[in-house]
Amino acid sequence: MFASLRSRLIGSYILIIVISLAVAGIVLMLLLTPQVIRLTYLRLVDKSLPTALHVRSLRTRGLTTEEIIATLEEQAITQGTRILIVTRDGMVLADTDGRWVGQQVDLPAQRNELERQRLYTQGRLLTREGLLFYVAMSIGPLRGEREEAPTWYIVLLTPPSRAIASIVGDITVGFILTGVVALLVSIGVAFLIARSVAKPLQRITAATDEMAQGEYQGQLNITSPKEVRRLASSFNVMAQEVRTSRQAQRDLVANVSHDLKTPLTSIQGFSQALLDGTTGDQESRHRAAQIIHEEADRMARLVDDLLDLARIEAGQVAMAQEPVPLADLLQECMEKMALRAEQGKVALELEMDGSPITTGDRDRLAQVFTNLVDNALKHTPPKGRIVLAAKSLVEETGKRGQEPRKVVEITVADTGTGIPPEDLSRIFERFYRGDKSRPKEGRGAGLGLAIAREIIQAHGGQIKAESVLGLGTKFTIMLSQSGDSGSSHHI
């Protein structure tokens, strides 16, 4: 019955509502108890006055106490009270129940002369039968009687339970009707609330089932409570990540297959030619062997890059944590690329602002900078310019109570062909090669920038690219700064 979230929510709301109504009823009764007692006395007073007048009339007619009390028995039953005729000293002359006749009752209100002068007195009487509320009204000597004639008191008694039950019974019907209406309204509201919570969750569940069956295109647009909206937003992000991951897997298989197929075809063809003897002369055999070697080397580099990228992404590559003077590191990269730059007639320059130092793996960082300079040389025409620059910065965190963070900004900027806007956002994807106009032998496998990004992120840094088509490209790397690194600039 309560298997679904909606039914459980509705059941919980109904239980809370019922408990709340019960508690409200109990609290209301406790708060009303003093008023109920007061109302009980007022009702006894209201009944005692006509009773006293009736008894006075019967006494005037000369009826005995037994005859008088007999006429009051039916009235006592109807009113739910007990009627006594008591003398001033507390002697019971008559009792509608017939049990206290001749006994002495203690009515505290009769002990005070001032109270005797009142029209009536009220109080509580503790007897062997329990606690009783009472109202006593005196009947003095009648006209024509001797002054020494006894004064009677007409006493109306009622137990608290009966009095309270009588009054509560009057308000119970209204209270129950009000409670039923409140319960029905609350159930309706609970149903709407449960629906508003359960319905979007059901949509999320359905979308999850579709994703489990291979449907990744669904997007949830939910305007429910903030927590459910956050869940839907997280689901959308997850779905997008799954779609991207699945597409990346398909692209990876396709690209690896394509990049391996070309060298394998060359290796297979030239090796077959060697086996068949179609390469008759020494020069042809040497050429075939050289191509086989180059293609095998190309395949080995591709496999090494794939394994390297996979290990870095999986966190299986331990990055060294040692001080790395960036001035020395960038200078070494410049020296390695100086010959290529000179052959391509490209100016290679280094600009240092201070002596920034970062903490990390020197060899891996050198791999990143070398890759960036290598890409810049491939895309910068003769008489172009490539600038490596590094400077220290103080990065404001934007959060109160947190001190600014010292970082190092390294840039590699060229005056090359630039990157089209549609390619700029994808250049860090594995196997992505935006420059399709270049010959295959001059293009890489499309893994260098993907590896560079993983290395920088493993160092806790960031890498981004900016480019203007026809004017050049600029790569910016942000790394944490350590040690005495000279002057710093605020950003």
Side-chain angles (χ1 to χ4, degrees):
M1 179 178 178
F2 295 101
S4 66
L5 176 62
R6 179 182 297 182
S7 61
R8 290 189 179 186
L9 286 173
I10 294 175
S12 300
Y13 290 144
I14 292 176
L15 180 61
I16 293 173
I17 292 165
V18 170
I19 293 175
S20 300
L21 289 175
V23 171
I26 294 172
V27 172
L28 182 62
M29 291 306 302
L30 292 176
L31 295 176
L32 289 179
T33 297
Q35 302 301 322
V36 170
I37 294 174
R38 180 172 175 272
L39 187 58
T40 299
Y41 283 126
L42 291 177
R43 287 191 174 187
L44 288 177
V45 171
D46 186 57
K47 295 172 183 177
S48 64
L49 182 58
T51 302
L53 294 176
H54 179 62
V55 171
R56 185 181 182 89
S57 174
L58 295 177
R59 183 178 179 183
T60 303
R61 289 163 53 187
L63 273 66
T64 64
T65 55
E66 292 79 6
E67 293 173 335
I68 294 173
I69 207 67
T71 64
L72 299 177
E73 290 177 355
E74 185 175 352
Q75 175 184 336
I77 295 173
T78 303
Q79 294 177 345
T81 59
R82 183 175 177 182
I83 304 175
L84 306 178
I85 300 177
V86 183
T87 62
R88 179 176 294 179
D89 57 3
M91 178 64 67
V92 178
L93 300 177
D95 180 2
T96 53
D97 283 1
R99 290 176 293 176
W100 288 2
V101 177
Q103 296 184 16
Q104 196 82 15
V105 294
D106 184 15
L107 300 179
Q110 296 178 2
R111 296 177 180 177
N112 190 303
E113 186 64 29
L114 181 60
E115 291 181 351
R116 292 195 187 102
Q117 298 177 4
R118 292 173 55 187
L119 183 62
Y120 68 91
T121 58
Q122 66 184 40
R124 303 180 185 186
L125 186 62
L126 184 61
T127 68
R128 287 175 296 182
E129 300 175 12
L131 181 66
L132 298 172
F133 294 155
Y134 74 88
V135 170
M137 188 167 291
S138 66
I139 302 177
L142 301 178
R143 182 178 299 175
E145 289 185 334
R146 300 189 306 272
E147 291 185 4
E148 62 271 14
T151 298
W152 288 0
Y153 285 87
I154 305 302
V155 181
L156 272 66
L157 303 168
T158 186
S161 59
R162 182 180 297 177
I164 294 174
S166 175
I167 297 173
V168 169
D170 294 340
I171 64 174
T172 298
V173 175
F175 183 79
I176 291 176
L177 289 176
T178 304
V180 169
V181 173
L183 180 62
L184 293 176
V185 173
S186 301
I187 290 174
V189 174
F191 178 81
L192 294 176
I193 295 175
R195 182 182 177 185
S196 68
V197 174
K199 189 173 181 179
L201 292 178
Q202 291 171 347
R203 289 178 56 192
I204 295 175
T205 302
T208 305
D209 293 338
E210 292 178 359
M211 181 179 290
Q213 296 172 5
E215 296 290 336
Y216 307 109
Q217 303 303 319
Q219 286 286 319
L220 295 173
N221 185 17
I222 293 176
T223 58
S224 288
K226 180 173 67 175
E227 292 78 5
V228 182
R229 290 200 306 272
R230 289 180 59 188
L231 177 60
S233 176
S234 299
F235 175 86
N236 291 334
V237 172
M238 180 186 68
Q240 179 63 36
E241 292 293 334
V242 171
R243 285 195 297 272
T244 303
S245 177
R246 295 284 290 183
Q247 185 61 44
Q249 289 178 3
R250 287 192 289 267
D251 293 344
L252 176 63
V253 173
N255 290 323
V256 170
S257 301
H258 178 271
D259 282 2
L260 290 179
K261 184 177 180 180
T262 301
L264 282 173
T265 301
S266 298
I267 291 172
Q268 185 178 18
F270 282 99
S271 62
Q272 187 66 42
L274 289 173
L275 290 174
D276 294 342
T278 56
T279 53
D281 55 18
Q282 182 66 25
E283 184 178 353
S284 297
R285 287 194 296 271
H286 182 270
R287 176 60 180 163
Q290 183 179 5
I291 291 175
I292 291 173
H293 177 75
E294 290 175 354
E295 294 297 332
D297 186 59
R298 178 182 171 189
M299 289 175 58
R301 290 197 306 271
L302 175 61
V303 172
D304 288 342
D305 286 345
L306 280 172
L307 292 175
D308 201 18
L309 179 59
R311 286 195 296 264
I312 294 174
E313 287 181 339
Q316 297 177 354
V317 175
M319 299 289 177
Q321 296 295 315
E322 58 184 10
V324 179
L326 291 173
D328 297 341
L329 182 59
L330 295 178
Q331 183 64 41
E332 291 177 7
C333 292
M334 291 274 294
E335 293 172 356
K336 291 178 182 179
M337 295 295 176
L339 181 59
R340 279 189 57 192
E342 184 179 350
Q343 292 173 346
K345 299 181 180 179
V346 176
L348 193 57
E349 302 175 6
L350 175 62
E351 296 179 357
M352 297 297 302
D353 185 359
S355 302
I357 300 174
T358 189
T359 300
D361 192 310
R362 181 186 181 89
D363 293 338
R364 289 292 182 178
L365 292 175
Q367 179 183 351
V368 172
F369 301 140
T370 302
N371 179 271
L372 294 178
V373 175
D374 180 66
N375 286 340
L377 287 171
K378 291 177 181 178
H379 296 85
T380 303
K383 298 184 180 180
R385 182 168 174 255
I386 299 174
V387 179
L388 276 76
K391 61 181 178 180
S392 302
L393 301 174
V394 177
E395 184 180 49
E396 300 292 343
T397 62
K399 296 181 180 180
R400 296 181 61 184
Q402 290 190 1
E403 295 183 358
R405 186 170 66 101
K406 294 183 178 180
V407 296
V408 181
E409 180 187 81
I410 306 101
T411 59
V412 179
D414 62 57
T415 58
T417 56
I419 303 173
E422 63 272 15
D423 294 334
L424 189 60
S425 61
R426 301 188 59 191
I427 60 174
F428 292 105
E429 296 179 12
R430 62 183 71 183
F431 290 106
Y432 187 77
R433 290 167 288 198
D435 189 2
K436 300 179 177 58
S437 62
R438 293 177 62 85
K440 290 184 178 180
E441 60 272 13
R443 295 163 61 192
L447 294 174
L449 290 179
I451 294 174
R453 182 181 63 176
E454 294 297 329
I455 292 174
I456 295 301
Q457 289 180 349
H459 282 78
Q462 298 176 345
I463 181 171
K464 65 179 181 178
E466 304 169 80
S467 184
V468 177
L469 196 62
L471 295 180
T473 303
K474 177 181 177 182
F475 286 88
T476 303
I477 297 172
M478 305 293 288
L479 294 172
S480 297
Q481 179 179 313
S482 62
D484 185 7
S485 304
S487 61
S488 300
H489 304 274
H490 284 268
I491 61 172

